[in-house]
Amino acid sequence: MSVQVEKLEKNMAKLTIEVPVETVEKAIQNAYQKMKKNINIPGFRKGKAPRQLIEKMYGKEVFYNDAIDEMLQNSYADAVEECGEEVVSRPELNIVQMESKSPFIYTATVALKPEVTLPEYKGIEVEKTPVEVHDEEIEAELLKEKEANARTITVEDRPVADKDIVTLDFEGFVDGEAFEGGKGENYDLTIGSGAFIPGFEEQLVGAKIGEDLDVNVTFPENYNAKELAGKAAVFKCRVNGIKVKELPEVDDEFAQEVSEFETLDEYKADIRERLLKDKEEDAKKIKEDLVIQKIIEGAKMDIPDAMVNFQAEQLMDDFAQRIQMQGMSLEQYFRFTGMTQEQYEEQMRPRALQNIQSRLVLEAVAKAENLEVTEADVDAEMQKMADQYKMEVEKVKEFFGESQIEEMKKDLAIQKAIDLVAGAAVEV
């Protein structure tokens, strides 16, 4: 196999890849073996017709598509490695020549990793983020804990009030017709939560248990279900029950129940310490982001669009995996939000560009400073992961092959670069 590289504008390149004749013939023969069982030729049992006869009847090109797929799959990665260039996008492929008894030639237009010219990256001035915990924040944490430990009590002697949890049957109608997804039975709705269409929950206030009532609302103009957007609707509702949350008293006994502390004062001191630690971590991250952004602003790098597109696609793939773990497909998400995949990827482009710029400048810093990642660094990272997942470190190591360890080393070098530039920054 031979590879020629033609450098194009804005860090793009065209690779011309030539696959030798013997590989072409092998791929065509493999395609014949794969396809022959599905081809009927009069006078031959199914799957037994000779290749030459099939090619004579259907043309030599009958096996080309499968042969091309095999050769692209087997040759592209090797071609990239052979050319020595660092490719950072999916290839745009174009077939130049595909003929029996001739080399297979194709081109791959790709983005190459841009060179970075760094500005002065030590001693960068950034605004200091104040780190302090206010009493109101401690009270807010206590309220969350109160909510988590609240008792739910059934109410029978009064109508619905704000903040009540109402058990509700409902069915929605537009122009007298019930619509899909507009029906629920024994649904628990907290009044004032904003979970339903604006204006819905307020109309339930004052309703009694067992009472039937009509709730009149108008769907917002930007409602996800386009067929309902902006339309007036009537929900026929019945209140089946009313519940309220009873919050516990916040005292020493409460502190003993929800923590390992004996007194409320000790518990509050622990909350303050935890909040302070979180804020210090947040301030550290803000400082790092500010420093990196200033380096990006002063750096020179010509990032090809194809590289940004590729990063946006990867962000899309990561998002798809996350929502699948939550039991929703990407198609369902787009249907519910009214967004298209193209629109989502376009929204991801600024974030994709930021990710690329950050990594490029930090890689350049790591290279300029000769920041090396040692085996001890890798072992320490493995141990951190083992502690996080409560596993034996040897078990964690079993999940990592050579390529994964190389990626880990790159990430650790990036972190060393972050620590260097942030540590050298001046807070003002």
Side-chain angles (χ1 to χ4, degrees):
M1 181 174 66
S2 68
V3 186
Q4 294 181 339
V5 181
E6 178 188 353
K7 297 290 182 70
L8 307 175
E9 292 182 347
K10 200 173 180 180
N11 289 306
M12 296 294 291
K14 183 166 76 173
L15 313 183
T16 301
I17 302 158
E18 184 173 315
V19 179
V21 175
E22 55 269 25
T23 304
V24 176
E25 290 304 311
K26 183 180 177 182
I28 293 174
Q29 181 64 18
N30 289 344
Y32 159 68
Q33 295 293 342
K34 176 182 172 183
M35 295 174 62
K36 68 178 183 178
K37 61 181 178 292
N38 298 319
I39 297 176
N40 285 316
I41 299 291
F44 293 89
R45 283 186 296 143
K46 190 174 183 180
K48 297 297 182 180
R51 171 181 157 186
Q52 292 80 0
L53 184 58
I54 296 173
E55 288 177 335
K56 186 175 181 181
M57 290 190 67
Y58 294 100
K60 291 183 178 181
E61 297 81 5
V62 67
F63 301 120
Y64 282 5
N65 284 342
D66 277 29
I68 287 171
D69 287 344
E70 178 184 316
M71 289 187 288
L72 290 175
Q73 187 173 351
N74 293 340
S75 65
Y76 174 70
D78 290 341
V80 169
E81 186 175 353
E82 185 177 318
C83 79
E85 299 289 347
E86 192 164 354
V87 173
V88 290
S89 73
R90 297 193 197 280
E92 184 181 316
L93 301 173
N94 182 52
I95 309 303
V96 177
Q97 176 177 288
M98 175 60 194
E99 295 177 12
S100 179
K101 300 180 181 178
S102 296
F104 170 54
I105 303 172
Y106 67 98
T107 63
T109 304
V110 295
L112 303 181
K113 183 178 176 180
E115 291 291 328
V116 177
T117 303
L118 289 169
E120 178 53 56
Y121 51 83
K122 293 179 181 177
I124 291 174
E125 290 189 354
V126 293
E127 186 176 347
K128 186 173 183 177
T129 302
V131 177
E132 52 187 342
V133 176
H134 301 287
D135 291 343
E136 310 87 77
E137 294 170 296
I138 296 173
E139 291 303 319
E141 289 298 309
L142 287 172
L143 180 58
K144 288 180 189 175
E145 201 62 49
K146 282 171 65 177
E147 292 277 359
N149 288 274
R151 291 191 307 157
T152 302
I153 298 173
T154 300
V155 175
E156 297 178 346
D157 58 352
R158 63 166 177 78
V160 176
D162 192 30
K163 307 300 182 188
D164 284 351
I165 302 168
V166 177
T167 303
L168 190 69
D169 291 344
F170 61 88
E171 185 170 15
F173 297 81
V174 170
D175 296 329
E177 296 288 334
F179 56 85
E180 186 178 352
K183 186 176 183 178
E185 293 182 353
N186 288 322
Y187 184 95
D188 283 344
L189 174 64
T190 300
I191 304 301
S193 66
F196 274 28
I197 302 162
F200 186 103
E201 295 166 21
E202 295 86 336
Q203 295 180 55
L204 296 176
V205 173
K208 297 176 182 177
I209 296 172
E211 181 180 345
D212 294 321
L213 70 156
D214 289 350
V215 173
N216 295 280
V217 294
T218 300
F219 284 97
E221 293 291 342
N222 60 348
Y223 193 66
N224 294 335
K226 301 301 182 187
E227 68 275 11
L228 298 176
K231 292 192 175 178
V234 177
F235 282 85
K236 296 189 176 297
C237 303
R238 166 167 283 200
V239 176
N240 295 329
I242 303 171
K243 292 174 285 189
V244 293
K245 279 186 177 180
E246 185 180 75
L247 301 179
E249 289 292 325
V250 178
D251 51 21
D252 289 346
E253 185 178 346
F254 174 76
Q256 292 163 16
E257 287 180 1
V258 302
S259 73
E260 74 261 25
F261 300 103
E262 290 296 318
T263 68
L264 180 60
D265 286 343
E266 290 175 318
Y267 181 42
K268 283 184 174 182
D270 180 67
I271 293 173
R272 184 182 293 276
E273 187 177 333
R274 284 190 282 114
L275 289 175
L276 187 62
K277 185 177 179 182
D278 289 344
K279 289 199 170 192
E280 286 171 346
E281 285 298 316
D282 290 343
K284 179 174 178 286
K285 184 66 171 65
I286 290 169
K287 178 184 177 182
E288 291 171 353
D289 289 345
L290 289 172
V291 171
I292 293 167
Q293 188 56 42
K294 286 204 171 184
I295 297 173
I296 289 171
E297 289 168 2
K300 294 179 181 178
M301 47 187 161
D302 198 2
I303 298 173
D305 289 340
M307 187 180 186
V308 181
N309 294 339
F310 183 48
Q311 177 69 24
E313 289 171 15
Q314 290 182 310
L315 291 173
M316 166 74 81
D317 292 342
D318 292 343
F319 176 70
Q321 290 178 7
R322 288 199 306 273
I323 65 170
Q324 281 174 352
M325 291 174 66
Q326 298 169 13
M328 182 183 293
S329 71
L330 201 58
E331 291 74 20
Q332 287 173 319
Y333 173 81
F334 289 139
R335 189 165 65 249
F336 293 151
T337 60
M339 188 183 292
T340 66
Q341 180 168 332
E342 291 74 20
Q343 288 171 329
Y344 185 85
E345 286 185 3
E346 190 61 31
Q347 283 188 2
M348 288 295 101
R349 282 180 63 81
R351 181 178 158 196
L353 178 60
Q354 178 70 28
N355 289 354
I356 291 167
Q357 291 172 324
S358 297
R359 192 164 186 96
L360 286 175
V361 297
L362 291 168
E363 284 176 347
V365 169
K367 183 178 179 181
E369 294 289 333
N370 292 316
L371 299 178
E372 295 183 357
V373 176
T374 65
E375 292 304 316
D377 293 327
V378 174
D379 289 342
E381 186 66 16
M382 293 280 195
Q383 186 61 58
K384 189 188 298 183
M385 295 175 70
D387 294 342
Q388 180 182 352
Y389 294 107
K390 296 181 172 55
M391 295 172 64
E392 295 292 329
V393 69
E394 294 305 320
K395 289 288 184 185
V396 172
K397 288 181 179 180
E398 291 175 7
F399 292 103
F400 287 84
E402 260 185 58
S403 61
Q404 287 89 352
I405 289 176
E406 285 305 310
E407 284 304 310
M408 179 187 289
K409 286 181 176 180
K410 290 178 183 178
D411 291 340
L412 290 172
I414 292 291
Q415 187 56 53
K416 286 191 175 192
I418 293 172
D419 293 342
L420 186 148
V421 295
V426 179
E427 292 182 305
V428 294

